Amino acid sequence: AVTSLCGIFNLNSGGGGYLSPDDDRLPYTVSIRRQDTMNAENGMAVLVEIIDYGTERQGPSGRVVEILGDARDAGVQIKMAIRQHNLRQQFPPEVLAEAAGLQAVSECEPDRVDLRHLHHVTIDGETARDFDDAICVEATAEGYTLYVSIADVSHYVQVGSTIDREAYLRGTSVYLPDRVLPMLPERLSNDLCSLVPDADRPAFTAILRFDHQGRRTSERYQKSLIRSHKRCTYTLVNHLLFEQDAATRAAHVDLLPMLEQARDLTALLRQRRSERGSLEFNIPEPEVRLEGGRVAAIHLAERNQAHQLIEDCMLAPNEAVAETLD
C-alpha cells in the first residue's frame, strides 16, 4: 500500500489544504488539516504521510512530513523523485566500514588467468565516472579474438555481507540529472570495481574467437586479472577510426592497431547480424542540462559510430553466453 507520496500542496480558505499527487497513476487528492500542513505555502512541493485511507465516498487524508520547496526548481523535482520512490541516499555506517576495509588485488590468484599484457581499453562517454567493462581485439591467423572483460564485483562483495544486503535493497544504481545514487559504496563503484587505467583489476572475461568471416568458432569464460591501458571516449574513438583525424591519430599511435582490429571485427559481426535479419533499435537518448536550478535544455545525446562499435562488442558475448547456457 502507498504510505507516503509527493505532490503539490494546495491551500484552501480554512487554512488546511490538499495534496495533488505527482504520480499520475494516483487519481485522487489527499486532504490535509490545518494543524498537519507544517505551514506549507500554496504551490509548494511536499511529502505527505497517509494517516487515513478514507472510504469510497471520502478520499484519503494525511499530514505534511517534509516541505521540499518550489516545485518549479529542478533540484526540488529531483528530491521529489527520490522521496517518491524511496531511494536510499546514504549508506549505513557498517556498509561504509566494510567497504573501507577491502584491499585492492595485488597479484594474480591461482583461479584467474593473467591478461594484464593485453591492451584492454574502456570506451565511455566524457562524463562517465565508473568503468564497468573493457575490450581488447587481437588479429590472429584464423581471424580475430575478442576479449570483453567486466569488473568482478563478486571478488569483493560476498554473499550475505552488509554490502551485499544493502545492494539488494537498492537493486540498481539510479542516475539522476545532477547525481548518481550508486548500488555500491564509492570505494567499490568508483575505485576497486572501476576499470580505471594503469591499475590491476579482477575481472570476468569472455574470450571469443572468430574466423575471417566473423563466424564465432569458440568461446571461453574466465576469471581474470586485467589492466586497462587507456580510458577512451566515444568522441576520441570516432575521431581515430571513422573521421580519420590526422592529429588525433598521431597523438594516439599506440591505440590504433587494437582499435582498428576492433573496427574490422565489429563490421563483420554487424554484417552477419544483418544477414540473419537482426533488428536495429536506434532509440534517441535525452540529455538534460541544468542551469541555476532550472532545466536550460533537453537535447538528444550525440551518437556516433564508436557507440555502435562498443555495442557490437557487447552483443557478441551476450549472444555467446546465452547460447552456452542454453
Side-chain angles (χ1 to χ4, degrees):
V2 176
T3 59
S4 63
L5 58 152
C6 288
I8 307 302
F9 177 73
N10 300 274
L11 191 65
N12 62 27
S13 57
Y18 63 92
L19 178 90
S20 299
D22 188 53
D23 190 337
D24 293 336
R25 296 172 298 177
L26 304 176
Y28 52 77
T29 59
V30 180
S31 62
I32 302 168
R33 298 178 301 176
R34 181 174 185 175
Q35 60 266 37
D36 293 328
T37 65
M38 287 184 67
N39 297 318
E41 298 177 13
N42 190 58
M44 297 296 277
V46 298
L47 177 67
V48 165
E49 179 184 52
I50 303 295
I51 56 177
D52 187 340
Y53 287 93
T55 64
E56 289 185 9
R57 294 186 177 182
Q58 181 179 350
S61 59
R63 58 171 166 261
V64 176
V65 293
E66 185 178 1
I67 297 175
L68 302 175
D70 185 348
R72 295 168 298 181
D73 186 278
V76 172
Q77 286 287 331
I78 290 168
K79 283 200 290 185
M80 290 175 70
I82 292 172
R83 301 292 195 282
Q84 187 70 46
H85 296 282
N86 295 316
L87 302 179
R88 299 166 74 85
Q89 297 185 76
Q90 306 297 328
F91 284 98
E94 60 271 21
V95 173
L96 295 175
E98 184 176 291
L102 298 172
Q103 299 297 317
V105 172
S106 57
E107 58 185 32
C108 193
E109 299 161 327
D111 64 338
R112 295 186 182 277
V113 60
D114 193 341
L115 300 180
R116 287 175 290 182
H117 62 286
L118 295 176
H119 275 68
H120 274 91
V121 300
T122 59
I123 305 176
D124 296 277
E126 276 81 0
T127 60
R129 293 179 57 200
D130 53 337
F131 310 102
D132 306 323
D133 43 62
I135 65 160
C136 176
V137 177
E138 289 185 319
T140 66
E142 294 76 24
Y144 300 90
T145 301
L146 168 64
Y147 301 84
V148 177
S149 298
I150 60 171
D152 186 0
V153 178
S154 66
H155 176 80
Y156 296 105
V157 182
Q158 302 301 310
V159 174
S161 65
T162 57
I163 296 175
D164 181 47
R165 292 197 299 270
E166 178 69 17
Y168 182 84
L169 292 173
R170 291 173 178 243
T172 182
S173 297
V174 179
Y175 292 82
L176 297 161
D178 67 343
R179 74 194 76 177
V180 178
L181 302 179
M183 186 174 69
L184 299 171
E186 193 167 324
R187 168 75 170 141
L188 286 163
S189 60
N190 284 4
D191 184 8
L192 297 178
C193 295
S194 187
L195 305 180
V196 294
D198 304 319
D200 296 345
R201 291 289 184 259
F204 204 88
T205 302
I207 305 171
L208 311 178
R209 290 186 168 83
F210 299 88
D211 63 19
H212 291 288
Q213 285 72 48
R215 293 185 293 250
R216 190 174 73 248
T217 57
S218 71
E219 57 280 322
R220 182 160 61 97
Y221 313 103
Q222 181 74 54
K223 282 188 174 183
S224 60
L225 188 67
I226 72 165
R227 173 178 284 241
S228 173
H229 287 251
K230 180 73 175 178
R231 180 264 201 266
C232 297
T233 65
Y234 297 119
T235 302
L236 173 64
V237 173
N238 194 53
H239 285 330
L240 288 172
L241 297 181
F242 303 105
E243 294 182 354
Q244 295 284 311
D245 183 80
T248 307
R249 288 172 66 85
H252 298 89
V253 173
D254 57 321
L255 288 177
L256 291 177
M258 194 282 287
L259 288 177
E260 288 176 341
Q261 290 158 14
R263 177 196 60 199
D264 296 344
L265 171 61
T266 54
L268 290 172
L269 297 180
R270 202 173 313 123
Q271 179 181 343
R272 295 200 64 81
R273 280 208 320 278
S274 177
E275 289 171 353
R276 69 176 200 247
S278 171
L279 295 176
E280 293 287 346
F281 293 97
N282 189 0
I283 301 172
E285 182 179 343
E287 284 187 346
V288 179
R289 180 163 57 86
L290 303 179
E291 288 182 4
R294 295 285 190 271
V295 175
I298 302 175
H299 54 81
L300 296 182
E302 182 181 348
R303 181 178 170 84
N304 56 46
Q305 289 175 276
H307 289 81
Q308 181 74 60
L309 180 145
I310 203 69
E311 287 168 7
D312 289 327
C313 285
M314 296 304 153
L315 274 172
N318 273 284
E319 289 180 355
V321 167
E323 291 176 13
T324 299
L325 292 176
D326 185 63

